[in-house]
Amino acid sequence: MAEERTLTILKPDCVRKELIGEVTKRIQEAGFKILAMKMTRLTKDIAGGFYAVHKERPFYNELCEFMSSGACVPMILEKENAIADFRTFIGATNPAEADEGTIRAEFADSLGENIIHGSDSVENGKIEAAYFFPGSEVVANQA
Ligand code: CMP
């Protein structure tokens, strides 16, 4: 299987619950290599640009409000089959439907506040990674 990259965001609820360390530890233990990470607070416009694909959905405004409501931690992760494996690792978008042992099943409260984001395709992973990190902030060679 090919090496892939995915963009994750530890969302404002993850930061507020002081779970940055716990979730990051689990990400690394699951074999994902962190190539870039930072803490930032999104403006509503920056959040809106990231989720532009959902612009026409009824939850778009609520989503942008939530994503700009506090600090978040975007990261670029690398692993074989990273896109699918990370989505399995975090669990279903709605935590009520997430498999036991997944990040969302364990830590998330609701569909809107679901702790963590993961890219849904290799192509979107590239677009999302570039939204947060210029190439100079991606450390692929860590030897
Ligand atoms: P995420 O994987 O970050 O991608 C889009 C987000 O929209 C999703 O997680 C959810 O948090 C959010 N979302 C999806 N459906 C709804 C909904 N019906 N109401 C509120 N938020 C939603």
Side-chain angles (χ1 to χ4, degrees), residues 9 11 50-51 53-54 57-60 62-64 66-67 87 90-95 104 110-120 128:
I9 307 173
K11 297 185 179 184
F50 182 77
Y51 283 116
V53 65
H54 296 304
R57 309 285 284 275
F59 58 83
Y60 179 70
E62 184 188 326
L63 177 60
C64 296
F66 168 62
M67 289 301 292
R87 288 173 75 81
I90 64 180
T93 306
N94 185 345
R104 284 168 169 160
S110 66
L111 179 56
E113 302 203 3
N114 64 356
I115 290 279
I116 192 163
H117 168 81
S119 306
D120 64 4
E128 292 178 0

Side-chain angles (χ1 to χ4, degrees), residues 80-100:
E80 274 191 8
N81 203 37
I83 297 289
D85 285 0
F86 195 71
R87 288 173 75 81
T88 301
F89 169 75
I90 64 180
T93 306
N94 185 345
E97 294 164 9
D99 289 341
E100 204 178 320

Side-chain angles (χ1 to χ4, degrees), residues 5-10 33-40 42 46 50 72-78 117 119 124-140:
R5 292 181 185 180
T6 189
L7 186 280
T8 186
I9 307 173
L10 310 188
K33 184 173 171 184
I34 301 169
L35 301 190
M37 73 185 292
K38 64 182 165 192
M39 178 181 275
T40 183
L42 308 183
I46 298 280
F50 182 77
C72 69
V73 180
M75 302 182 201
I76 299 174
L77 306 175
E78 186 174 70
H117 168 81
S119 306
N124 282 339
K126 286 180 185 162
I127 294 167
E128 292 178 0
Y131 195 79
F132 284 108
F133 298 100
S136 59
E137 291 181 12
V138 183
V139 188

Side-chain angles (χ1 to χ4, degrees), residues 23-38:
V23 173
T24 303
K25 173 170 153 279
R26 292 187 190 204
I27 288 171
Q28 292 187 295
E29 284 174 353
F32 296 90
K33 184 173 171 184
I34 301 169
L35 301 190
M37 73 185 292
K38 64 182 165 192

